[in-house]
Amino acid sequence: MTTATERAGYPLERIRNDFPILQQSIHGHPLAYLDNAASTQKPRAVIDCIRRVYETDYSNVHRGVHSLSQRATDRYEAARCRLQAFLKARHSHEIIFVRGATEGINLVAQSFGRSHLKAGDEILITAMEHHANIVPWQMLSEQIGTRLVVAPIDRQGELQLDALIDRLSAKTRLVAVTQVSNALGTINPVREIIEQAHARGIPVLVDGAQAVPHLAVDVTALDCDFYVLSGHKLYGPSGIGVLYGKEQWLKAMPPYQGGGDMIRRVTFEKTEYNGLPYKFEAGTPNIVDTIALGAAVDYLEAIGLDAIAAHEAELLAYATRRALEIPGLTLIGTARHKGAILSFTLDRIHPHDIGTLLDMQGIAIRAGHHCAMPVMDFFGVPATARASFGLYNTLAEVDALMDGLGEIIKVFR
Ligand code: PLP
């Protein structure tokens, strides 16, 4: 069985061959890797890029006059331009390399938050945020007395947009919202949220960790003020990510960390900070993984995000259809617009048991609260099982998952 996208030329077999890790068995079964929302596997292009940089071009960046340092610097800065083009940012200096989405949000909370917000100001988030887009704002509240306001979701896991708009008050100083929920799969109407917030002069941060591997993103068209992503969810390395910020904000924000590279001149009396983007990249950066993130973006774009999105949408539609036939299975997150995430529970079977028993059949899913405990509380479950699809998954793997769930139900009957 193939998806219509495959029949139209989506090179699924070739793609699968690009991922060495997929060519293995787990407990005697072919691996079905369905944990892509947690982290994606890496194509050979990314793995080879890392090896090649260490073998041929590696040195510290920005400070060296020798050839290796210049080559490493050129490749590091080329990766910045690559990510600028990928996100369609206006300037390459609006691309700040950070460890991941989490660090990007913490940077905004500590730098923008502490310099632009004061006690009593409100930060508006949604009830479906990952802890990475909750806790940094709570820490800021503890530090300077800001208040976290939460826009509700409904039982389908959809954002109640009217309620979010109602909560945009004269005190709101920032809206921080996920584009795609990792726990529910919901795709949020971020463009509309940004328009509504901007109409009131309020900047918006978009958490794109779950969006960029699946949707083409244009930060200039979206007009968001900040956008964060994690490389490891984008078929790139872990420990590298991007904070995009509009030039006007980044210029007006103080450095987040101090150290080498983020300075122009240091004396014991006073330090003059460097310009963008270096002001926010203190210390030796994650040089090789940054370059490899550029390779991951090249790989994705060569396949095409629209084709990837179409293939994944078919996997999700098929998985949803089959899941609904399984007695005792409840889907958690049934929004109209969803990314390729299927969260569910099975009557009387703990999600951790589902995850362990599926692993015995070579199927990797995630079980837990998915770093979204408030979502679990809202749905009244301690955890869910979550299958999440990526560009290399097949309809046969969806079948393996659903057949596996059928076997588990028999064991517990
Ligand atoms: N935001 C969302 C929606 C996520 O799914 C995740 C990771 O699961 C994060 C933020 C945090 O990403 P990272 O742990 O890579 O910083």
Side-chain angles (χ1 to χ4, degrees):
M1 211 167 45
T2 53
T3 61
T5 317
E6 282 174 79
R7 294 194 292 282
Y10 184 75
L12 185 56
E13 200 179 319
R14 199 204 74 214
I15 290 171
R16 289 187 66 77
N17 285 331
D18 289 338
F19 289 79
I21 204 168
L22 298 180
Q23 322 302 321
Q24 64 177 296
S25 296
I26 300 280
H27 301 301
H29 299 271
L31 166 64
Y33 187 78
L34 304 177
D35 193 18
N36 296 288
S39 202
T40 51
Q41 300 299 349
K42 317 306 167 199
R44 200 170 277 110
V46 168
I47 300 167
D48 287 351
C49 172
I50 293 171
R51 204 197 57 243
R52 269 201 311 274
V53 177
Y54 279 123
E55 283 179 355
T56 60
D57 291 338
Y58 180 76
S59 177
N60 209 334
V61 289
H62 296 144
R63 287 178 290 272
V65 292
H66 61 77
S67 298
L68 285 186
S69 177
Q70 285 176 8
R71 284 203 319 243
T73 303
D74 287 349
R75 296 197 66 172
Y76 180 80
E77 291 304 329
R80 196 186 307 279
C81 294
R82 197 64 198 84
L83 269 293
Q84 173 203 353
F86 180 65
L87 291 177
K88 306 201 170 39
R90 280 203 177 86
H91 309 288
S92 63
H93 59 250
E94 293 176 319
I95 302 295
I96 310 294
F97 288 120
V98 289
R99 277 192 299 137
T102 301
E103 188 174 42
I105 297 171
N106 275 278
L107 192 161
V108 176
Q110 289 301 309
S111 173
F112 173 85
R114 278 174 170 250
S115 60
H116 286 69
L117 274 57
K118 58 179 188 318
D121 285 348
E122 294 178 354
I123 297 147
L124 177 58
I125 63 169
T126 78
M128 69 176 89
E129 299 305 319
H130 186 280
H131 296 164
N133 199 24
I134 302 173
V135 184
W137 308 117
Q138 290 173 330
M139 290 167 65
L140 183 68
S141 297
E142 282 168 18
Q143 290 159 349
I144 66 168
T146 47
R147 221 167 68 78
L148 194 59
V149 177
V150 182
I153 56 176
D154 64 19
R155 298 303 296 175
Q156 278 67 53
E158 281 193 25
L159 176 65
Q160 296 186 16
L161 185 60
D162 290 347
L164 180 137
I165 293 166
D166 282 349
R167 283 165 175 71
L168 292 169
S169 79
K171 290 184 178 167
T172 314
R173 290 284 175 269
L174 182 73
V175 176
V177 58
T178 194
Q179 192 169 4
V180 178
S181 156
N182 68 311
L184 302 167
T186 311
I187 300 177
N188 279 321
V190 285
R191 186 190 283 265
E192 202 169 341
I193 293 169
I194 292 164
E195 274 170 19
Q196 292 287 343
H198 282 182
R200 296 159 178 82
I202 303 164
V204 179
L205 177 148
V206 177
D207 174 355
Q210 295 293 343
V212 281
H214 312 287
L215 312 168
V217 171
D218 180 334
V219 292
T220 302
L222 270 182
D223 201 27
C224 56
D225 298 272
F226 300 101
Y227 194 95
V228 297
L229 65 88
S230 290
H232 70 97
K233 297 190 197 282
L234 194 58
Y235 307 93
S238 54
I240 185 66
V242 169
L243 163 66
Y244 157 82
K246 272 187 189 165
E247 183 186 57
Q248 73 189 78
W249 292 120
L250 294 177
K251 272 190 172 164
M253 284 159 53
Y256 167 55
Q257 294 179 329
D261 243 22
M262 50 74 72
I263 51 85
R264 239 181 223 131
R265 183 171 156 74
V266 178
T267 64
F268 287 120
E269 287 69 42
K270 184 173 165 46
T271 288
E272 192 189 325
Y273 301 133
N274 209 340
L276 294 177
Y278 310 110
K279 181 170 81 171
F280 292 108
E281 293 182 4
T284 299
N286 187 349
I287 301 161
V288 179
D289 292 327
T290 306
I291 297 168
L293 178 57
V297 166
D298 284 343
Y299 180 82
L300 273 186
E301 289 199 329
I303 299 170
L305 273 149
D306 290 345
I308 294 169
H311 176 68
E312 291 175 349
E314 287 185 69
L315 295 177
L316 179 69
Y318 179 62
T320 305
R321 234 180 14 253
R322 282 217 51 188
L324 291 172
E325 291 163 4
I326 295 180
L329 187 149
T330 306
L331 289 177
I332 306 289
T334 50
R336 280 162 300 171
H337 301 293
K338 272 188 72 177
I341 286 174
L342 196 79
S343 248
F344 59 91
T345 57
L346 284 179
D347 282 352
R348 296 187 311 278
I349 310 176
H350 195 280
H352 285 134
D353 292 331
I354 301 173
T356 306
L357 291 168
L358 285 175
D359 180 59
M360 298 309 293
Q361 303 176 48
I363 301 160
I365 62 148
R366 188 141 297 243
H369 52 64
H370 316 296
C371 293
M373 282 186 182
V375 173
M376 302 297 118
D377 290 345
F378 177 77
F379 283 96
V381 292
T384 71
R386 180 187 72 185
S388 51
F389 307 107
L391 56 85
Y392 37 57
N393 289 125
T394 65
L395 288 172
E397 289 176 319
V398 175
D399 280 332
L401 167 68
M402 297 304 162
D403 295 347
L405 292 175
E407 292 301 314
I408 292 170
I409 289 170
K410 278 190 214 152
V411 171
F412 277 81
R413 195 173 276 151

